[in-house]
Amino acid sequence: MALTGLEIFKLLPKTNCKKCGMPTCLAFAMQLAQKRAKLEDCPDVSEEAKQQLAAAAAPPMRLVEFGRPDNQVQTGAETVMFRHEEKFYNPTVLAVTVSDKLTGQDLKERIESINSLQFERIGVRICVNAIAVMNDSGSADAFATAAAAVKDTSELAIILVTESPDAMAAAVAKTADSSPLIGRATPDTAQAMAKIAKENNCPLLAVAESVEALSELTEKIKAEGVEDIVLSLDGLSLRDQLYNLSKIRALALKKTFRPLGYPTMSFVADGDADQQAAYATSLICKHSSIVVVNAVEPSAFLAMLTARMNIFSDPQKPIQVEPKVYPIGEPNVNAPLMFTTNFSLTYYTVESDVEASRVPSYILVVDTEGTSVLTAYSGDKLNEKTVADAMAKHNVEGLVKHRKLIIPGYVAVMSGKLEEATGWEVMVGPRECAMLPKYLHEVWKKD
Ligand code: SF4
């Protein structure tokens, strides 16, 4: 938890020398607490006070990075319990297992099926982030071979999962330059696993059966010199996982309890692909930083990735598309021209309905700061002037010769003013864009 002004004041020299530009040490402390001043501005602050202030200023949840430098994964560094308080920073890392019992073509096909889990949604590419190599065979050689195959066949970040320090050493020897996340370090293997993590500069997965045992384990691992730690709870039902993950997050973020101030990881092994998707989505919501599943079915992944995208979008910044004219199909000078707003969800819904109509068209996207049609209209971000300006800026006069503009049915009320402002004939389209195909075929073409 951040220090208050008075707590900071106690650590300052209290000479009121004014070298920092403030009249008193107390005034400087208050500015520091509000992040309006820097500690370096006080030349007389002691080294001990500097260390205490730096420790207090460290984020409550550590940022952990792993994966090869050109495709690095970041997790942790969250600051709030709930999205509406500010925003979530690092989307849950989604990983899929690869068993080291697989060999040859089977192993290659499994890795390639994971690589292909990529989709585009409202203009954004969403994909799986990591492959978790599981030492199911119990053999160090098989584990190292599978880890090497993943490294050679995939760009994704690697997670190495074994109970055996010997197997881990063998696998890390093949993949260290890809900076894998390694584990499982239990109270029994913590020292040996921490040694491998420290020597190879890898983050370490700490696993225990309770929150209390985890907090003791992270202290033990830290004492071995490993700072980048990921937490995982063993053998719990989904209900208990959700309860304990919330507890860990609250202790880390609300109480600044440093032994639990790390990202978390969960494994979803049971059930069919749909059940795994449902479990994983629950864990994405509350509050797993990394979720590992066995399923590779694209339908399950699309659901998980969509849930993740929705939860980790910034509630204060709607996802937007670039304001401009988008041709759909191969429109010519007789093609219909319609406008919508630059809220991504609105644009892509309109776009898919226009595409479905198979009528080549132009969609003019008006900049409404990422708000939907009705929201923009109510907030006066969508009016005859903004539409006329967008038409001029994007030179729609040069695209079509009919001078007709189709407007969303919900803003039919602006027709008159828009005709005055542009000199174009305004045609009121349907309220719901799902009706656009019918409208384009039955009203536009007849017109
Ligand atoms: Fe106090 Fe340091 Fe500012 Fe001097 S420079 S007034 S000691 S905070």
Side-chain angles (χ1 to χ4, degrees), residues 103-323:
T103 56
Q105 190 59 23
D106 291 342
L107 178 59
K108 191 165 174 259
E109 282 176 12
R110 172 84 181 176
I111 299 167
E112 284 172 352
S113 65
I114 298 169
N115 289 341
S116 68
L117 293 170
Q118 301 184 24
F119 309 88
E120 189 174 309
R121 183 171 181 267
I122 53 168
V124 180
R125 182 175 161 270
I126 49 177
C127 61
V128 69
N129 311 100
I131 292 179
V133 187
M134 311 299 287
N135 185 207
D136 298 327
S137 69
S139 153
D141 286 346
F143 190 48
T145 301
V150 168
K151 186 189 141 187
D152 293 342
T153 321
S154 179
E155 302 274 300
L156 297 171
I158 300 172
I159 303 171
L160 299 174
V161 185
T162 179
E163 305 251 332
S164 158
D166 289 341
M168 184 60 79
V172 170
K174 304 267 188 188
T175 56
D177 56 350
S178 293
S179 301
L181 164 62
I182 69 169
R184 315 168 4 128
T186 62
D188 292 339
T189 61
Q191 206 171 14
M193 289 288 195
K195 186 167 181 286
I196 299 169
K198 191 175 174 200
E199 285 174 358
N200 294 281
N201 201 21
C202 298
L204 184 59
L205 174 66
V207 184
E209 290 180 353
S210 69
V211 173
E212 293 72 21
L214 258 184
S215 64
E216 285 169 21
L217 183 55
T218 59
E219 292 293 275
K220 195 171 170 183
I221 290 170
K222 248 188 115 176
E224 297 294 328
V226 176
E227 297 283 344
D228 290 333
I229 300 169
V230 174
L231 313 176
S232 185
L233 286 158
D234 229 1
L236 298 183
S237 65
L238 177 64
R239 176 181 171 279
D240 289 342
Q241 280 252 20
L242 295 173
Y243 174 77
N244 282 298
L245 287 169
S246 297
K247 191 170 161 185
I248 289 172
R249 191 174 177 101
L251 285 166
L253 300 185
K254 299 272 185 201
K255 303 289 181 191
T256 323
F257 184 59
R258 299 287 181 195
L260 295 173
Y262 302 99
T264 53
M265 178 157 149
S266 308
F267 290 85
V268 179
D270 298 329
D272 61 20
D274 291 345
Q275 284 169 314
Q276 288 189 33
Y279 276 36
T281 301
S282 304
L283 290 160
I284 290 167
C285 294
K286 285 187 179 299
H287 296 278
S288 198
S289 315
I290 304 170
V291 176
V292 182
V293 300
N294 287 338
V296 284
E297 284 77 354
S299 58
F301 256 88
L302 183 57
M304 290 182 255
L305 292 165
T306 301
R308 179 180 74 176
M309 186 182 190
N310 290 340
I311 290 161
F312 282 86
S313 60
D314 186 342
Q316 290 158 32
K317 281 192 198 155
I319 305 172
Q320 304 177 21
V321 294
E322 186 187 349

Side-chain angles (χ1 to χ4, degrees), residues 12-13 15-20 22 24-25 28 41-43:
L12 296 177
T15 57
N16 297 333
C17 71
K18 301 186 178 61
K19 288 182 208 163
C20 59
M22 294 289 153
T24 62
C25 293
F28 180 69
D41 295 342
C42 171

